[in-house]
Amino acid sequence: MKAVRIKRYGNEEVVELAEVERPRPGENQLLVKVQATAVNPVDWKIRDGLGEMFGMKLPLILGCEVAGTVEAAGSEASEFVRKPKQFDLDTVASVPVGALTAWQGIFDQGKLVSGQRILITGASGAVGSMAVQLAKNKTAHVIGIGSGRNEEFVRELGADEFIDYRKARFEDRVNGVDVVFDTVGGETQERAFQTVKRGGFLVSTVNPPSAEKAKEFGVTVAMVQMMPKADQLAEINRLVESGKLKVRVATVLPLAEVKKAHQLSANGHADGKIILRP
């Protein structure tokens, strides 16, 4: 069978499409014939060297978001759910990582509840767009930040307010929010502290927020590291089936073009999810 593999860390040139032995599932595993897989930033970050930091052993097979057909199963596999029937595999392969990251960030870490106000940076991205929809489904007041060209898209997802970061400093227009969900990091994250009320939450998907600033502004901070949770994914699938959660597929490429897919993801040039088809 074919697999996207790296034998050493580096840029996209270390990625190879290799022929590997077909695995046999263990007790807590499934063997899935992959028909669509999404490329996520974590893939090229692992490739760049994050895998070494986490103690992963080379060679590594990349990828964490798939849709396909179960061919064999162990007795207690618990990280997969049935796909929504009416949706194609490209669409459903685009859902789990972004939606679970957003869910765990805004609800598990940020404690968002109905009626609260949330500020979402990078609101048009794969994770940010999921956060907008999940927060709105919880009847929160959603403020999205992004590029002006994506304003219509973010508002269609349910955002109550939109701020074009190129035209305004969001911290001059927003204050007293209950939760900041940051998918951008860096200077944007630092400035976002000014928008949170004391006792609120600032959660990032990108880099750990400053403990010193958290103390200064009186907020709780966290960095979300997505964990596969079948119960949450099943609930997310119900939202997809009901039309309350939408995903935007930007690019579909053959598996052989995995290097191009990594480049698109790393450069931020894909306006939605990037799908590879074996």
Side-chain angles (χ1 to χ4, degrees):
M1 59 171 249
K2 298 221 181 302
V4 174
R5 183 176 68 181
I6 60 169
K7 293 181 178 178
R8 58 188 175 88
Y9 296 110
N11 63 21
E12 65 271 4
E13 294 305 317
V14 305
V15 177
E16 63 177 8
L17 189 58
E19 194 71 36
V20 299
E21 185 178 349
R22 176 186 167 112
R24 302 179 66 177
E27 186 174 302
N28 297 312
Q29 295 178 324
L30 291 177
L31 178 63
V32 177
K33 182 177 182 179
V34 176
Q35 291 163 277
T37 180
V39 172
N40 290 281
V42 69
D43 298 329
W44 51 264
K45 288 178 181 179
I46 287 173
R47 181 209 72 204
D48 279 352
L50 189 64
E52 185 173 26
M53 186 188 304
F54 287 158
M56 297 178 176
K57 294 182 179 180
L58 294 170
L60 279 175
I61 293 176
L62 299 174
C64 58
E65 190 171 36
V66 302
T69 305
V70 175
E71 295 207 333
S75 59
E76 297 181 6
S78 61
E79 294 182 3
F80 283 76
V81 296
R82 292 186 182 275
K83 84 171 187 70
K85 292 181 180 178
Q86 70 269 41
F87 291 91
D88 60 76
L89 288 161
D90 291 343
T91 299
V92 298
S94 302
V95 172
V97 169
L100 284 171
T101 302
W103 183 293
Q104 292 166 20
I106 66 178
F107 299 137
D108 295 352
Q109 301 277 14
K111 313 298 182 187
L112 184 74
V113 297
S114 176
Q116 289 188 325
R117 298 170 71 232
I118 181 171
L119 176 70
I120 299 169
T121 70
S124 66
V127 178
S129 62
M130 288 292 185
V132 169
Q133 297 175 84
L134 291 172
K136 198 61 198 172
N137 188 63
K138 187 65 79 172
T139 64
H141 182 92
V142 179
I143 306 166
I145 298 174
S147 168
R149 66 186 176 87
N150 288 312
E151 178 173 359
E152 183 179 357
F153 170 65
V154 174
R155 286 190 180 276
E156 286 177 352
L157 295 179
D160 299 283
E161 301 178 48
F162 181 88
I163 299 171
D164 183 345
Y165 69 87
R166 293 177 177 172
K167 294 182 178 180
R169 291 178 64 84
F170 64 86
E171 67 271 31
D172 294 336
R173 295 178 52 182
V174 180
N175 63 76
V177 299
D178 299 279
V179 181
V180 166
F181 185 61
D182 169 49
T183 71
V184 177
E187 181 195 1
T188 298
Q189 183 187 105
E190 294 291 302
R191 291 158 50 202
F193 275 97
Q194 300 175 46
T195 69
V196 194
K197 73 177 187 181
R198 297 190 77 81
F201 295 82
L202 190 153
V203 182
S204 177
T205 66
V206 188
N207 55 270
S210 166
E212 290 182 1
K213 279 193 169 289
K215 186 176 180 180
E216 176 187 350
F217 286 93
V219 303
T220 300
V221 296
M223 182 172 174
V224 61
Q225 294 180 312
M226 190 277 290
M227 298 294 293
K229 293 187 178 181
D231 58 337
Q232 292 178 352
L233 188 53
E235 180 59 31
I236 286 164
N237 269 358
R238 283 190 282 272
L239 293 174
V240 173
E241 287 183 306
S242 67
K244 295 178 180 177
L245 193 63
K246 298 179 175 65
V247 64
R248 181 162 63 173
V249 176
T251 307
V252 179
L253 297 169
L255 191 63
E257 294 191 39
V258 61
K259 292 180 181 180
K260 178 180 178 181
H262 274 223
Q263 289 175 332
L264 288 170
S265 178
N267 293 336
H269 290 165
D271 201 10
K273 295 288 284 196
I274 303 165
I275 296 296
L276 291 172
R277 287 184 187 159

